[in-house]
């Protein structure tokens, strides 16, 4: 029997493979949100940006035949969403959390509206790298067939970790995020920095969306995202605004998301729908465990409204 | 007979300046109305540009929207029916907002309230009296909804967990729980492609308001808005909540029970959203199924923000949004636009209205204290 399957070992393998497959959008959205939040602003609208990015990438890939162009178009669309959010939030008395909810609704509406005609056609998929070529077991080959965006996301996390600490741009971002007044005293325009940070965050979130529609699950429909954009906000808190933490937390979330399908594949169907809730329960438990009513979170940008 | 100097008729003639308090009263109350209406007009203008850009006529669309939402008695009744759950889900946002909390997970309370109502009703239906069954369903839905949103408030105060994110996560968890119940223990074996609980017997359904084709949910929703308004405006709890919403530390120094206020207000808010779920089950669906997650919780956020978290203002806004929702089908059929058109309109309005918050306090005309300097 060992020739055809790998038995119970299929479960951890499926979770591992699922973690890598499911985590990629989380990596991009949470890295984008980290950049935005480090500048002292929160963007809850990334869920809308993610879905709009998924639609844009799919539509452009269908029309041009190139998934790369699709990803680039999604980045532009995501940056535009970020610019709108950033521009509106710079006005006094405007609540950035509420604007985020509104932008989410707007992004979902626009994506469903403009994407209606792209539900049927099939887009070319993003390429992946078959790292499992050495193995003769199909499950291992499938598990190690890893999309290029995963590697780009991992590299980006390392780069951002370095850049926050060691570059002038990283320093400016951290100053603006910690104290608007200190930034002004240094001659930095906080609104301009936040505008750019929100735009970059939006374009990264849109890449996460492009991954959903162009690789896994790899089709465009209205239920493509199940809150990845919003869970990324919680994930950033869990990761303490640290890009490498975001990468690891994204893997953890991906693994939680893959738990249900993995158990189902070996015949565990009891409580199947509850496993769908696993990533959300995990997020909530982590939030409860790491929050405190009396002190602000370690590593939180001082000007961030979320943690006050 | 002499004319008394304090005769009110003469006093008005002698003191024309007494008009001023009236003007001040109007000016202070005009600000949200004028800015709100201006925001809606700007939002509609932007939406018109979008419709023009996709090559359709905004004039036709607005006309259809009016016809579909309010053009006939039939469409008015349809709009009112759709407004009923929005009244309750908007309260779920508006009440915690008085304490400065942004709760966006009302959908979860709706869904679980619906499941709880169905779970309560199905063993009773056929044996217990109709009225008692409906009351018990409402209580079950309100308790479950109250616990769900109250949990977000509790975590906020006692653990410092951001309530916006926790309520949203709870809402996803609630939808998974509903799917588990409806697919599992509560599933009606006769429901094949669309799993649901066993249907309620027809006589156990919440009927229509006499003389109208609108279910009793509308009356329940309007009553809930009025009760909420009284709680906020006329009780010491509401007053304390407004203080705590303004400045938590100041409220704590004053000795106000901020924790209990937050838990109480979020629980009340959640119980209203749960009640919306019970109404969906008992008046519309007839059973608990995936249709409970129809987005009423999310539209309620928009209604509450449009109404500036004022429970009485929620009533007209919910009816307006209910009308826009009701006209969606007509727009889809007549103009060939996707059903998401309504979603785009809602998103646009939502953004512009929040953006226009920045204009509050900017215009002298709305602030009588500044009149002397400008007039």
């Amino acid at each position: 029997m060992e020739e055809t399957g790998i038995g119970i070992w299929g479960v951890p393998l499926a979770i591992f493979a699922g973690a890598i497959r499911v985590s990629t959008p989380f990596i991009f959205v949470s890295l984008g949100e980290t950049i935005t939040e480090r500048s002292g602003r929160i963007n809850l609208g990334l869920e809308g940006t993610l879905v709009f990015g998924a639609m844009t990438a799919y539509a452009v890939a269908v029309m041009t035949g190139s998934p790369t162009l699709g990803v680039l178009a999604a980045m532009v669309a995501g940056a535009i969403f970020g610019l709108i959010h950033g521009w509106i939030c710079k006005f006094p008395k405007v609540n950035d959390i509420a604007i985020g909810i509104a932008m989410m609704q707007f992004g979902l509406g626009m994506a469903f509206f403009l994407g209606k005609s792209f539900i049927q056609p099939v887009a070319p998929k993003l390429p992946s790298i078959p790292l499992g070529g050495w193995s003769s077991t199909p499950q291992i080959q499938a598990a190690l067939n890893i999309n290029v965006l995963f590697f780009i996301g991992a590299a980006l996390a390392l780069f951002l970790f370095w850049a926050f600490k060691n570059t002038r741009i990283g320093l400016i971002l951290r100053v603006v995020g910690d104290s608007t007044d200190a930034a002004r005293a240094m001659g930095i325009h906080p609104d301009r920095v936040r505008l750019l940070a929100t735009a970059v965050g939006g374009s990264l979130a849109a890449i996460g969306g492009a991954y959903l529609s162009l690789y896994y699950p790899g089709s465009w429909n209205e239920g493509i995202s199940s809150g990845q954009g919003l869970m990324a906000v919680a994930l950033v808190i869990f990761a303490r605004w640290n890009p490498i933490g975001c990468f690891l937390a994204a893997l953890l979330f991906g693994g939680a998301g893959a738990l249900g399908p993995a158990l189902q594949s070996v015949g565990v169907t009891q409580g199947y729908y509850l496993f769908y809730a696993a990533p959300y329960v995990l997020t909530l438990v982590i939030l409860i465990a790491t929050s405190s009513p009396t002190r602000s979170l370690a590593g939180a940008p001082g000007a961030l409204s979320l943690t006050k | 007979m002499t004319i008394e100097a304090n005769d009110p008729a003469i006093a008005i003639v002698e003191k024309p300046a007494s008009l001023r308090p009236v003007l001040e009263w109007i000016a202070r109350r005009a600000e949200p109305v004028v800015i709100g209406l201006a925001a809606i007009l700007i939002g509609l203008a932007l939406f018109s540009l979008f419709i023009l850009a996709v090559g359709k006529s905004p004039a036709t669309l607005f006309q259809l929207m009016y016809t579909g939402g309010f053009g006939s008695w039939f469409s008015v009744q349809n709009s009112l029916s759709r407004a009923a759950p929005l009244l309750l889900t908007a309260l779920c946002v508006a009440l915690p907002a008085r304490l400065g909390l942004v709760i966006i997970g009302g959908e979860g309370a709706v869904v679980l309230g619906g499941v709880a109502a169905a779970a309560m009703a199905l063993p009773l239906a056929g044996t217990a009296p109709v009225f008692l069954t409906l009351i018990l369903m409402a209580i079950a839905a309100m308790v479950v909804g109250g616990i769900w949103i109250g949990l977000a408030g509790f975590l906020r105060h006692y653990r410092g967990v951001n309530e916006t994110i926790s309520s949203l996560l709870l809402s996803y968890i609630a939808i998974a729980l509903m799917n588990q119940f409806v697919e599992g223990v509560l599933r009606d074996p006769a429901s094949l492609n669309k799993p649901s609980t066993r249907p309620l017997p027809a006589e156990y359904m919440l009927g229509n308001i006499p003389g109208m084709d609108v279910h009793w949910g509308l009356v329940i929703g309007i009553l809930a808005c009025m009760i909420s308004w009284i709680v906020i405006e006329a009780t010491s709890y509401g007053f304390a909540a407004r203080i705590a919403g303004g400045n938590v530390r100041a409220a704590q120094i004053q000795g106000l029970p901020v924790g209990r206020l937050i838990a109480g207000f979020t629980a009340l808010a959640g119980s209203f959203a749960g009640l919306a779920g019970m109404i969906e089950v008992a008046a519309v669906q007839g059973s608990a199924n995936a249709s409970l997650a129809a987005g009423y919780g999310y539209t309620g956020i928009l209604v509450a923000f449009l109404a500036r978290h004022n429970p009485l203002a929620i009533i007209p806004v919910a009816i307006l949004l209910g009308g826009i929702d009701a006209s969606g089908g007509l727009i889809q059929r007549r103009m060939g636009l996707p059903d998401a058109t309504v979603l785009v309109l809602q998103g646009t309005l939502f953004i512009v209205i929040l953006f226009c918050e920045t204009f509050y306090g900017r215009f002298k005309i709305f602030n009588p204290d500044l009149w002397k300097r400008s007039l």
Side-chain angles (χ1 to χ4, degrees), chain B residues 52-202:
Chain B
L52 277 175
V54 295
K56 303 278 178 172
S57 154
T60 318
L61 188 137
F62 290 131
Q63 204 188 343
L64 284 177
M65 208 170 264
Y66 173 75
T67 315
F70 304 98
S72 65
W73 181 227
F74 173 78
S75 51
V76 168
Q77 294 185 107
N78 194 3
S79 301
L80 289 174
S81 298
R82 284 169 190 261
L86 296 181
L87 293 165
L88 293 162
T89 53
L91 285 176
C92 185
V93 181
L95 285 173
R98 284 302 162 117
L99 284 146
L101 304 183
V102 185
I103 297 268
I104 60 173
E107 187 90 349
V110 173
V111 163
L112 285 187
V115 171
M120 178 61 94
L122 291 172
L124 292 173
T127 52
V130 173
F131 189 69
L132 180 74
T133 308
L134 285 171
I135 293 282
L136 288 174
M137 284 170 77
I139 291 173
M142 290 179 79
V143 167
V144 171
I147 290 173
W148 210 245
I149 300 297
L151 192 61
F154 176 86
L155 289 173
R156 163 69 196 220
H157 186 72
Y158 296 99
R159 288 296 314 172
V161 178
N162 180 275
E163 77 287 353
T164 311
I165 294 169
S166 69
S167 68
L168 200 96
L169 292 171
L170 282 168
S171 135
Y172 283 111
I173 295 169
I175 291 170
L177 279 175
M178 173 196 69
N179 284 326
Q180 185 64 43
F181 279 126
V182 170
E183 290 274 3
V185 284
L186 292 177
R187 178 166 180 165
D188 176 10
S191 62
L192 297 172
N193 289 326
K194 192 186 173 196
S196 68
T197 60
R198 276 184 291 125
L200 275 175

Side-chain angles (χ1 to χ4, degrees), chain A residues 120-136:
Chain A
Q120 283 301 326
V122 178
K125 285 200 171 190
L126 282 166
S128 56
I129 302 168
L131 288 180
W134 50 270
S135 170
S136 56

Side-chain angles (χ1 to χ4, degrees), chain A residues 42 44 47 84 87-88 91-95 97-99 101-106 108-110 112-114 116 222 226-227 230-231 233-234 237 270-274 276-277 280-281 283-284 287-293 306 308, chain B residues 50-51 54 102 104 151 155-162 164-170 172-173 176-177 179-180 183 298-299 301-302 305 332 337-341 343-344 346-348 350-351 354-362:
Chain A
I42 177 163
L44 277 187
E47 174 80 7
I84 297 174
W87 182 75
I88 292 174
F91 289 92
K93 290 189 192 172
V94 174
N95 178 335
I97 290 183
I99 287 285
I101 301 166
M103 286 296 292
M104 176 179 15
Q105 220 169 18
F106 179 71
L108 292 175
M110 288 296 267
F112 297 167
F113 186 101
L114 298 172
K116 199 81 191 172
E222 298 189 350
S226 44
L230 279 154
M231 280 157 68
V233 179
I237 300 174
Q270 202 64 39
Y272 176 63
Y273 289 88
L274 294 182
Y276 268 127
Y280 311 108
V281 174
T283 315
L284 191 63
L287 269 179
I288 294 169
T290 55
S291 300
S292 160
L306 180 77
K308 275 182 185 159
Chain B
F50 171 72
I51 293 300
V54 295
V102 185
I104 60 173
L151 192 61
L155 289 173
R156 163 69 196 220
H157 186 72
Y158 296 99
R159 288 296 314 172
V161 178
N162 180 275
T164 311
I165 294 169
S166 69
S167 68
L168 200 96
L169 292 171
L170 282 168
Y172 283 111
I173 295 169
L177 279 175
N179 284 326
Q180 185 64 43
E183 290 274 3
Y298 297 109
T299 312
I301 305 170
L302 174 60
F305 273 93
Q332 209 179 336
L337 286 169
D339 49 357
T341 312
L343 210 56
V344 175
Q346 288 181 354
T348 312
F350 200 178
I351 293 170
L354 290 169
F355 174 67
C356 286
E357 288 278 312
T358 192
F359 294 117
Y360 281 87
R362 284 236 190 138

Side-chain angles (χ1 to χ4, degrees), chain B:
Chain B
M1 192 166 172
T2 53
I3 295 164
E4 297 289 330
N6 59 0
D7 186 314
I10 289 176
I12 286 169
V13 175
E14 278 177 355
K15 282 199 269 177
S18 64
L19 252 173
R20 190 176 159 117
V22 180
L23 285 177
E24 285 189 359
W25 189 89
I26 293 171
R28 286 189 200 279
R29 274 153 189 79
E31 186 174 32
V33 176
V34 172
I35 293 181
L37 285 179
I40 291 176
L41 286 178
I42 296 169
L44 290 178
L46 287 175
F47 179 69
S48 303
L49 288 178
F50 171 72
I51 293 300
L52 277 175
V54 295
K56 303 278 178 172
S57 154
T60 318
L61 188 137
F62 290 131
Q63 204 188 343
L64 284 177
M65 208 170 264
Y66 173 75
T67 315
F70 304 98
S72 65
W73 181 227
F74 173 78
S75 51
V76 168
Q77 294 185 107
N78 194 3
S79 301
L80 289 174
S81 298
R82 284 169 190 261
L86 296 181
L87 293 165
L88 293 162
T89 53
L91 285 176
C92 185
V93 181
L95 285 173
R98 284 302 162 117
L99 284 146
L101 304 183
V102 185
I103 297 268
I104 60 173
E107 187 90 349
V110 173
V111 163
L112 285 187
V115 171
M120 178 61 94
L122 291 172
L124 292 173
T127 52
V130 173
F131 189 69
L132 180 74
T133 308
L134 285 171
I135 293 282
L136 288 174
M137 284 170 77
I139 291 173
M142 290 179 79
V143 167
V144 171
I147 290 173
W148 210 245
I149 300 297
L151 192 61
F154 176 86
L155 289 173
R156 163 69 196 220
H157 186 72
Y158 296 99
R159 288 296 314 172
V161 178
N162 180 275
E163 77 287 353
T164 311
I165 294 169
S166 69
S167 68
L168 200 96
L169 292 171
L170 282 168
S171 135
Y172 283 111
I173 295 169
I175 291 170
L177 279 175
M178 173 196 69
N179 284 326
Q180 185 64 43
F181 279 126
V182 170
E183 290 274 3
V185 284
L186 292 177
R187 178 166 180 165
D188 176 10
S191 62
L192 297 172
N193 289 326
K194 192 186 173 196
S196 68
T197 60
R198 276 184 291 125
L200 275 175
E203 65 272 23
Y204 283 81
M205 294 282 284
L206 197 62
N208 283 342
I209 302 166
M212 288 172 87
D213 198 16
V214 181
H215 56 76
W216 280 103
L218 181 72
V219 175
I220 297 172
I222 290 176
L223 277 176
C225 285
M226 290 176 156
I227 292 168
S228 302
W229 187 80
I230 291 168
V231 167
I232 288 174
E233 300 291 335
T235 69
S236 56
Y237 301 109
F239 185 63
R242 275 181 285 158
I243 293 173
N247 187 333
V248 178
R249 298 302 295 275
Q252 279 169 337
I253 290 165
Q254 287 293 314
L256 292 173
V258 177
R260 263 183 287 154
L261 279 171
I262 288 180
F265 265 68
T266 47
L268 182 65
S271 64
F272 284 142
L275 193 57
M278 176 263 177
I279 289 169
E280 271 300 289
V281 167
V284 183
Q285 306 286 346
S287 67
N289 56 54
S291 306
L292 283 171
Y296 288 122
Y298 297 109
T299 312
I301 305 170
L302 174 60
V303 173
F305 273 93
L306 266 168
R308 302 202 86 231
H309 309 306
N310 177 336
L312 286 189
I314 283 176
I315 300 172
V317 174
I319 293 171
L320 184 71
L321 264 287
I324 293 178
D325 261 355
S327 63
L330 193 66
I331 292 167
Q332 209 179 336
R333 286 194 301 278
R334 294 273 186 84
M335 294 182 76
L337 286 169
D339 49 357
T341 312
V342 171
L343 210 56
V344 175
L345 173 62
Q346 288 181 354
T348 312
L349 282 177
F350 200 178
I351 293 170
V352 177
I353 282 154
L354 290 169
F355 174 67
C356 286
E357 288 278 312
T358 192
F359 294 117
Y360 281 87
R362 284 236 190 138
F363 302 110
K364 276 182 188 165
I365 191 164
F366 296 127
N367 188 347
D369 301 335
L370 297 175
W371 280 3
K372 268 181 202 134
R373 269 169 274 170
S374 57
L375 287 176

